[in-house]
Amino acid sequence: PRSAPFSQRLAPKNGRASVLRWSAFLGFVVMAIFTFTPGIAALIACWALISIGSAIYSPTRYAMLPAAATDTKWPLTRINGFIELGTYSAILGGMILIVGTDLRQTGWALPLIALLNGLAWLTALPVAFPSDVRRDERPLDAVRDFFADFRRIMRIPEARVCLIGLSGKRGLVIGMAGAMLAILFNQDGELQFDKMIRIIALITTWVMAGVAVGSLLAGVQKHPRRVLGLVPVGGLGFSLGLAYAAEAMQPIAEGEQPILWFCTLVGAAAGLINVPLAATYQLAVPDDARGNAMAVRNMTDYFFATIAGIGLFLLGKYAGFDGPSQLWLIAIVSGVATLVAWWIFRREFVEQIIEFVFFVMYRFRAAGPGLDTFPRKGPVIVVCNHSCYFDPMLLGKVLPRTMIAMMTSVFFDHWFLRWMMVYLADAIRVQYSGFRRDVPELKDAVAALDAGKCLVIFPEGRLRRTEEQPLKMFGQGVWHILRERPETPVVVCWLEGGWGSYFSYYKGLPTKNKKIDIRHPIEIAVGEPEKLSAEILSDHRKTRHYLMEKCAAMRAHLGLEPIALQTVEEEAAKEEDSPSPLEIAEKAKYEERSTKSEG
């Protein structure tokens, strides 16, 4: 941990790519030298020098991944999945190599590892990402800024949660390893040591294989937010694995064989935890602090690991906690942490389940210049046409943020939906009524933007009703919000395919007179983020008309015909005081429910 403030000093001057190459070269040279230097002292010195190189190499590598995602246009979750797959596959290969009897006897294990380190150095040579953010600073400033960045990172809730989750997992793994070693080596007999080494190697090999598989599976999910729904699932599997180990390790130490497929599942669970938290942490930290952020992650990892090791040692020495008791304690702590994860990532977990449902129901296609430039942090307003009930979730499939939708009270107050709107969707309630002087939802919307959230607005104010009118006149709500926060970037979208789906008004009320959607095509065009000028925001008519034009123009990215906006504005005047029969029916239902509730 103490090397972390200094490891990133090299990066601003020479570039992180250079640091990656030189630290990889150090590993190659050290292994090449000590391969032909016998003795335990030489081995320990080799290990220490390799650890120094790793302390520099690891945070530098992870700090470059967001830039790699930007330049390659690969999802950051997928890049992390492949990086972790490679890391644990290499560990797995090293375990097999060292434990292999023939290689140990012929003396080719260490030279081969040296050659593999050389290969790692060669693969680092071409690495360079133009979008990587560099920060030039003097040596003393670099050390000072490390601690300043540490404070910045801990003030970001998302980064703080991920950092604690990653480091806590590392501490639990170290504690689990220590407790298992205590069980295995608490045996008598001259041949016991060699036997236990083989058991440890066998378990570790299968666990590492599981971590590699779990990392790959987590990388399949491209969405940077919904991937967090895998964390509580991984936590559940990891906790069950610890509970199993608490019961099974003693019989294993006495001669029984470990259940290898279960070891693989436990490793896979750890991979499902690691990749989502790591990718989210990399996105959440400030761009100019990525190097220090990864060094902070290393520092906190080993800090938690140290605390876990010391704590279990003291419990074993002074409180009589044997190996199984320590494993049960770790399993309980892991279980509590998993319950916390279920609550924190409850929305992401539900959205992850919805992903599987949507895979059957819809076929998605996204286009437009905003796909690569959508703001990943900070406040943003998404404006879109409204064609079916599922529009917010359909947008959420394509846009890389957790979205806060404004939901009419007709649906928000439904007994089944209210809990989900409050505790899952974090939606903003919009009162269904005519003219109102008090509009609290606008204040809630501004507060959401102040908190740096992504707000989704459907300015039409209602779902599409007819085939002939694909777009309705925009309301004034979006203008009021932008007047309060004019610096907020606006991303205008067009969603095609919602009309005609099972949850639209096509041929009748939603879910009526239509077949349920199976592989129904959904196309979404995403515009570039834009801050509206003071001239456009000076009048609500200008703002509404401008956003309508932008929304209609998005259709071109999907190859759709343009919309006559003049006709839309003329129809708007007619509809002001003449609600449709469907609107009247909806309002009557809402008023009936409200009357029953008051009664």
Side-chain angles (χ1 to χ4, degrees):
R2 293 182 62 186
S3 68
F6 305 97
S7 65
Q8 290 305 306
R9 169 63 192 104
L10 300 171
K13 182 178 180 181
N14 304 313
R16 267 190 276 267
S18 179
V19 176
L20 198 71
R21 297 173 196 134
W22 280 107
S23 56
F25 181 70
L26 173 64
F28 168 59
V29 170
V30 169
M31 284 303 306
I33 292 174
F34 284 95
T35 293
F36 304 101
T37 308
I40 188 66
L43 181 61
I44 293 174
C46 172
W47 206 314
L49 291 173
I50 288 290
S51 298
I52 292 173
S54 297
I56 299 172
Y57 182 91
S58 181
T60 304
R61 177 184 64 175
Y62 284 108
M64 297 177 73
L65 296 188
T70 299
D71 293 339
T72 62
K73 301 189 185 305
W74 271 40
L76 184 56
T77 53
R78 187 155 297 176
I79 289 179
N80 271 275
F82 278 114
I83 285 289
E84 297 302 317
L85 171 66
T87 298
Y88 287 99
S89 295
I91 295 173
L92 175 62
M95 291 295 303
I96 295 173
L97 184 64
I98 292 298
V99 175
T101 304
D102 294 338
L103 285 172
R104 284 195 304 160
Q105 291 177 349
T106 56
W108 281 101
L110 290 179
L112 184 55
I113 292 175
L115 288 175
L116 291 173
N117 272 270
L119 179 62
W121 168 56
L122 291 175
T123 57
L125 290 177
V127 173
F129 298 105
S131 64
D132 197 19
V133 178
R134 296 173 58 180
R135 185 172 67 188
D136 296 324
E137 52 194 352
R138 294 174 298 179
L140 289 179
D141 291 339
V143 177
R144 181 199 63 196
D145 288 345
F146 169 82
F147 296 101
D149 287 339
F150 179 77
R151 290 191 292 271
R152 289 171 67 192
I153 292 164
M154 294 306 291
R155 284 196 291 266
I156 302 172
E158 198 170 57
R160 184 171 63 244
V161 168
C162 292
L163 185 63
I164 292 173
L166 289 165
S167 302
K169 181 185 73 72
R170 174 66 67 90
L172 291 173
V173 169
I174 295 298
M176 175 187 70
M180 290 171 65
L181 289 174
I183 295 172
L184 289 172
F185 286 106
N186 189 24
Q187 307 293 322
D188 297 325
E190 295 181 359
L191 300 178
Q192 197 67 36
F193 181 82
D194 185 65
K195 174 185 174 183
M196 294 310 159
I197 288 294
R198 291 180 176 278
I199 291 175
I200 292 170
L202 186 65
I203 293 174
T204 304
T205 299
W206 284 87
V207 169
M208 292 300 103
V211 175
V213 173
S215 300
L216 182 63
L217 290 175
V220 171
Q221 172 55 274
K222 299 187 294 184
H223 199 283
R225 291 298 308 172
R226 293 182 177 180
V227 71
L228 289 168
L230 300 174
V231 174
V233 177
L236 177 61
F238 190 68
S239 301
L240 292 175
L242 287 169
Y244 164 77
E247 288 293 325
M249 282 308 299
Q250 191 63 43
I252 290 172
E254 294 171 356
E256 290 189 14
Q257 286 293 314
I259 303 177
L260 299 181
W261 64 265
F262 194 84
C263 296
T264 306
L265 286 180
V266 172
L272 293 179
I273 298 171
N274 194 59
V275 169
L277 292 179
T280 305
Y281 177 70
Q282 291 158 15
L283 277 177
V285 299
D287 293 346
D288 66 335
R290 286 174 183 165
N292 280 335
M294 300 311 127
V296 165
R297 178 186 163 182
N298 264 17
M299 184 184 72
T300 52
D301 272 3
Y302 291 109
F303 175 78
F304 272 72
T306 302
I307 293 298
I310 293 174
L312 291 177
F313 170 77
L314 294 176
L315 285 173
K317 186 173 181 63
Y318 297 106
F321 270 56
D322 58 3
S325 300
Q326 292 179 14
L327 280 174
W328 272 116
L329 177 62
I330 297 168
I332 292 171
V333 172
S334 177
V336 172
T338 299
L339 290 176
V340 174
W342 278 106
W343 178 253
I344 294 175
F345 302 124
R346 61 191 183 277
R347 173 172 179 168
E348 288 78 9
F349 173 74
V350 172
E351 289 181 345
Q352 185 65 55
I353 298 299
I354 292 174
E355 286 256 336
F356 292 107
V357 178
F358 276 9
F359 180 78
V360 176
M361 295 179 67
Y362 302 111
R363 290 182 288 115
F364 286 89
R365 182 174 78 90
L371 289 175
D372 296 326
T373 58
F374 192 90
R376 300 301 180 98
K377 304 174 187 175
V380 60
I381 295 175
V382 175
V383 172
C384 189
N385 62 305
H386 202 8
S387 53
C388 75
Y389 286 163
F390 273 8
D391 283 345
M393 290 183 283
L394 296 175
L395 283 173
K397 169 67 178 177
V398 172
L399 301 181
R401 293 282 296 271
T402 296
M403 289 187 253
I404 308 300
M406 302 185 74
M407 181 72 67
T408 176
S409 56
V410 173
F411 304 102
F412 193 102
D413 292 343
H414 191 280
W415 68 270
F416 178 71
L417 297 176
R418 185 176 180 82
W419 187 91
M420 291 191 291
M421 293 300 103
V422 174
Y423 295 105
L424 288 180
D426 197 20
I428 296 174
R429 182 182 183 276
V430 179
Q431 178 63 44
Y432 186 94
S433 65
F435 176 78
R436 290 181 292 146
R437 294 186 181 277
D438 186 26
V439 190
E441 60 266 20
L442 297 182
K443 297 178 182 177
D444 294 338
V446 171
L449 295 174
D450 289 341
K453 297 181 179 181
C454 176
L455 182 68
V456 179
I457 300 177
F458 300 101
E460 295 171 274
R462 69 172 191 183
L463 292 178
R464 178 179 175 180
R465 294 300 196 272
T466 65
E467 183 76 36
E468 296 74 23
Q469 189 181 22
L471 191 67
K472 184 178 178 292
M473 185 67 185
F474 282 8
Q476 297 185 33
V478 63
W479 174 74
H480 286 290
I481 295 170
L482 284 169
R483 286 280 290 179
E484 291 290 326
R485 294 295 178 269
E487 293 300 310
T488 303
V490 179
V491 176
V492 181
C493 301
W494 180 271
L495 194 155
E496 184 70 17
W499 176 254
S501 70
Y502 184 67
F503 297 96
S504 70
Y505 275 94
Y506 178 72
K507 293 183 178 180
L509 292 170
T511 72
K512 306 294 183 182
N513 303 323
K514 293 173 284 293
K515 293 182 179 179
I516 194 166
D517 299 326
I518 301 294
R519 306 301 291 164
H520 182 81
I522 297 293
E523 298 178 303
I524 300 173
V526 184
E528 289 193 273
E530 177 187 3
K531 294 181 181 178
L532 272 59
S533 67
E535 181 184 356
I536 294 174
L537 294 176
S538 63
D539 180 74
H540 71 86
R541 297 177 187 82
K542 287 183 179 180
T543 303
R544 295 158 69 189
H545 187 79
Y546 179 80
L547 291 175
M548 285 178 62
E549 283 185 332
K550 293 279 290 185
C551 186
M554 286 297 104
R555 292 168 54 90
H557 294 288
L558 302 176
L560 302 174
E561 296 179 356
I563 297 174
L565 294 182
Q566 186 66 34
T567 304
V568 173
E569 293 175 350
E570 291 173 358
E571 289 294 326
K574 298 177 183 178
E575 293 182 2
E576 289 270 328
D577 301 315
S578 55
S580 69
L582 291 173
E583 285 182 295
I584 295 172
E586 283 183 350
K587 188 171 183 180
K589 289 180 182 178
Y590 173 72
E591 290 174 350
E592 182 181 352
R593 284 199 298 269
S594 299
T595 303
K596 290 181 180 179
S597 176
E598 292 173 1

